[in-house]
């Protein structure tokens, strides 16, 4: 039986962080792998029960991407946690607090 040609492999990274946890995992995946497939292959979903891909946004190098995005060599997949506070509201509260301290 003849050997089937294997797909070229891509070297990627997957990262996820919580206040007390940082994960940066390197992984080799076949060319044509999607962002979601790579996350599943990494095993990170079994390790961190807080990651829910239906609720968490994902991206590559800080840019939001859809789970069906095809990966490229050296992509860094980032899994983002849901925000607990609106950043604009947080800034307004800090600005108001600083203004009151100055009085």
């Amino acid at each position: 039986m003849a050997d089937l040609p294997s797909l070229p492999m891509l070297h990627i990274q997957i990262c996820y962080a919580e206040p007390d946890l940082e994960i940066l995992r390197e992984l080799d995946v076949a060319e044509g792998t999607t962002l979601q497939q790579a996350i599943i292959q990494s095993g990170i979903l079994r390790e961190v029960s807080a990651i829910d891909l239906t609720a968490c946004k994902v991206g590559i190098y800080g840019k939001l991407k859809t789970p069906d995005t095809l990966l490229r060599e050296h992509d860094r997949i980032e899994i983002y946690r849901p925000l607990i506070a609106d950043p604009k509201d947080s800034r307004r509260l800090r600005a108001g607090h600083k203004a009151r301290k100055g009085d």
Side-chain angles (χ1 to χ4, degrees):
M1 183 170 171
D3 288 333
L4 295 174
S6 62
L7 291 173
M9 299 300 282
L10 305 173
H11 188 75
I12 62 161
Q13 292 181 326
I14 297 179
C15 60
Y16 175 76
E18 293 179 1
D20 297 328
L21 173 71
E22 293 178 17
I23 296 175
L24 179 60
R25 183 162 298 160
E26 299 201 13
L27 191 66
D28 290 320
V29 297
E31 190 173 285
T33 299
T34 65
L35 194 146
Q36 182 172 358
Q37 290 169 331
I39 291 171
I40 292 167
Q41 287 177 31
S42 74
I44 197 169
L45 297 177
R46 289 187 302 273
E47 282 180 48
V48 184
S49 61
I51 300 174
D52 175 3
L53 289 182
T54 61
C56 294
K57 294 185 181 197
V58 292
I60 297 175
Y61 288 114
K63 294 186 180 184
L64 289 179
K65 301 289 181 181
T66 60
D68 62 347
T69 300
L70 291 177
L71 298 176
R72 296 184 301 185
E73 179 71 10
H74 300 298
D75 275 349
R76 184 183 70 219
I77 297 170
E78 299 163 346
I79 304 170
Y80 308 116
R81 292 179 293 129
L83 295 175
I84 45 178
D86 180 356
K88 290 180 182 177
D89 290 340
S90 296
R91 272 191 296 263
R92 279 189 211 103
L93 287 172
R94 284 193 307 270
H97 182 66
K98 286 181 183 176
R100 284 190 300 275
K101 275 187 163 182
D103 290 342

